[in-house]
Amino acid sequence: MRKTLMIAAAFAMPLTAAPALADNHMEAEAPKQANLDWYEINYTRYHAGKVGEARQMQEVFKEISVKVGLELPMIFHMNSGEWHTMLARKMPGGIAQMGWESNPNGRKWWAGLVEHTGSEEAANEYWQKYQSLIADQKEEVGHIDR
């Protein structure tokens, strides 16, 4: 029995270092980020007859983005399928941005909406109006290789 345990221990000892060796733990160079651009992709379907009003509001949203110095998202007006709009917004913080408690660009944009509408209350009303036009939404995250 004792001999069996000693043999098992002799085989198991090298395995304890396997995880460190598997990820090149011994290399001196720091890990490298992949050369990717990450995007939030939003799909939106509006209530019947509300697409035109929603697109007018999107124009205001674009003006605000430009005014506060944000990169404009790519906005696709869909001609087929179940969605009316597909919006691709670059994630400047990369995939790590998903862990942010609050997005600094979102705060910057909201401040622009408050300025545009004249008050926090008016901005909330404007945003709720836009939200009332939406029948369904979904969001995905993807990347492109640079």
Side-chain angles (χ1 to χ4, degrees):
M1 176 74 167
R2 212 168 141 198
K3 193 175 197 179
T4 306
L5 286 174
M6 286 176 58
I7 292 172
F11 281 110
M13 288 282 279
L15 296 177
T16 60
L21 295 173
D23 68 354
N24 295 321
H25 191 289
M26 302 301 279
E27 288 183 12
E29 80 180 58
K32 295 178 184 173
Q33 289 285 342
N35 199 13
L36 308 172
D37 286 329
W38 288 90
Y39 287 83
E40 281 179 72
I41 314 296
N42 298 90
Y43 298 90
T44 306
R45 181 175 41 255
Y46 300 102
H47 291 292
K50 300 297 181 182
V51 174
E53 186 177 356
R55 291 197 175 145
Q56 286 176 343
M57 294 181 87
Q58 287 173 350
E59 289 303 313
V60 171
F61 296 156
K62 284 170 42 178
E63 289 172 23
I64 291 167
S65 293
V66 168
K67 188 173 183 179
V68 300
L70 297 175
E71 183 176 344
L72 286 176
M74 292 180 280
I75 300 175
F76 298 86
H77 302 294
M78 307 305 285
N79 294 325
S80 63
E82 64 180 293
W83 305 103
H84 292 117
T85 302
M86 183 184 88
L87 182 138
R89 183 181 305 106
K90 191 171 183 179
M91 299 169 70
I95 194 73
Q97 184 173 320
M98 293 179 68
W100 289 354
E101 190 171 307
S102 65
N103 185 327
N105 288 337
R107 287 193 312 266
K108 197 175 188 181
W109 183 86
W110 184 258
L113 182 60
V114 170
E115 182 181 324
H116 176 81
T117 58
S119 72
E120 186 82 28
E121 183 178 300
N124 277 318
E125 287 175 15
Y126 195 83
W127 183 249
Q128 289 308 313
K129 173 63 177 167
Y130 179 73
Q131 293 297 305
S132 75
L133 305 175
I134 297 172
D136 194 17
Q137 277 186 312
K138 80 172 185 174
E139 184 176 302
E140 297 179 355
V141 174
H143 71 271
I144 57 173
D145 299 325
R146 283 187 259 152

